[in-house]
Amino acid sequence: SSEATPAPPATPRHRLAPIAIFRERLGTSQMVELSSEPIKRGKDRLAMATALLIVDMQMLMQERLDAGREHVNGQAGENIAALAAAFRAARLPVIHVRHAEADPASAMHRDAPGCRPMPCAEARDNEPVFIKSTSSAFASTELEGYLHEVGITHLYVAGAVAGFCVNTTVRAGSDLGFRMSVVRDAVLGFDLPDANLSARTIFDVTMAHLESDFAEIVDTRQVMAMQPAA
């Protein structure tokens, strides 16, 4: 008997025409000047289709740190500031994602102090800010369409929180066909007291799951050793 002719492969989602982009920027009265050494020449190079994605580094995270909540990578903000400065120096995009809730009683309501960006995550002029209402940065924003429109295929992800919004954003991005890299020491993690799970346990399991099938795991030093391709 003759073999059946295989059906042509479906068009990958990441090759579909970009949808209309809607970007919402949070108003900020101050921009914090960040400085760092330029990205250095290394064996590997950062491609121009690469961007830094900063997720949910908002003042509620700083409040948790200040309150002594058990955490991993309390220095994540410093590493994010260094990464952002290096990407800007290399003329590579820095993209911001922030969470906001509609409930006025929520600590993450857009007018609440906890919703404001931490200094390390202040957007500079012309840097896009996407406001999400879901765990994944892709589910409730036009981030996917924006990335296609500007030709970004590889995201270095940093921010908060490891087991929640960073986790879901990286998995979603991978499923959509983007290359995802997680900057491990620039990701903030917290414990789950009600589940009796430590911050370290959640963080390590999350990183292991992401590395197994969704992303490469790197450190700030590795990223800073790269420079953009010509």
Side-chain angles (χ1 to χ4, degrees):
S1 60
S2 59
E3 296 183 1
T5 302
T11 302
R13 185 168 180 177
H14 62 280
R15 293 184 182 175
L16 297 178
I19 57 177
I21 305 304
F22 174 75
R23 283 178 284 174
E24 183 176 359
R25 180 176 296 278
L26 286 179
T28 52
S29 58
Q30 269 187 314
M31 293 298 174
V32 178
E33 190 71 25
L34 302 177
S35 63
S36 177
E37 295 182 2
I39 294 179
K40 300 175 182 178
R41 182 180 299 276
K43 180 180 179 182
D44 299 316
R45 300 160 72 88
L46 289 174
M48 296 309 291
T50 299
L52 176 66
L53 184 69
I54 303 174
V55 179
D56 291 3
M57 287 300 280
Q58 293 163 260
M59 288 306 296
L60 180 62
M61 309 305 154
Q62 187 62 56
E63 291 171 11
R64 292 178 180 177
L65 294 173
D66 294 343
R69 176 85 174 265
E70 184 189 333
H71 63 273
V72 173
N73 290 337
Q75 82 293 347
E78 298 174 10
N79 289 335
I80 289 171
L83 288 166
F87 270 68
R88 289 164 180 149
R91 299 185 182 277
L92 292 173
V94 177
I95 302 170
H96 305 263
V97 173
R98 298 172 190 161
H99 193 89
E101 296 286 347
D103 182 0
S106 171
M108 292 297 281
H109 183 265
R110 65 173 57 244
D111 295 329
C115 194
R116 295 198 304 267
M118 293 171 62
C120 66
E122 290 273 16
R124 297 288 186 89
D125 290 341
N126 300 319
E127 290 179 349
V129 176
F130 293 89
I131 310 302
K132 67 180 179 65
S133 58
T134 54
S135 182
S136 165
F138 291 94
S140 55
T141 74
E142 300 295 351
L143 176 60
E144 180 191 1
Y146 171 78
L147 296 176
H148 290 320
E149 184 178 79
V150 299
I152 294 170
T153 60
H154 184 186
L155 292 172
Y156 281 86
V157 183
V161 174
F164 289 88
C165 298
V166 170
N167 186 9
T168 53
T169 294
V170 171
R171 289 171 181 249
S174 176
D175 286 346
L176 290 169
F178 296 100
R179 179 182 173 191
M180 308 299 286
S181 297
V182 179
V183 189
R184 174 172 36 204
D185 57 352
V187 172
L188 184 61
F190 292 104
D191 62 344
L192 280 177
D194 293 343
N196 197 29
L197 291 172
S198 69
R200 174 55 63 185
T201 296
I202 297 169
F203 187 89
D204 288 348
V205 170
T206 299
M207 292 298 120
H209 279 164
L210 291 178
E211 188 173 29
S212 70
D213 202 34
F214 301 97
E216 66 172 343
I217 306 298
V218 296
D219 293 318
T220 298
R221 180 178 296 182
Q222 292 174 261
V223 182
M224 298 288 287
M226 301 175 188
Q227 74 164 26

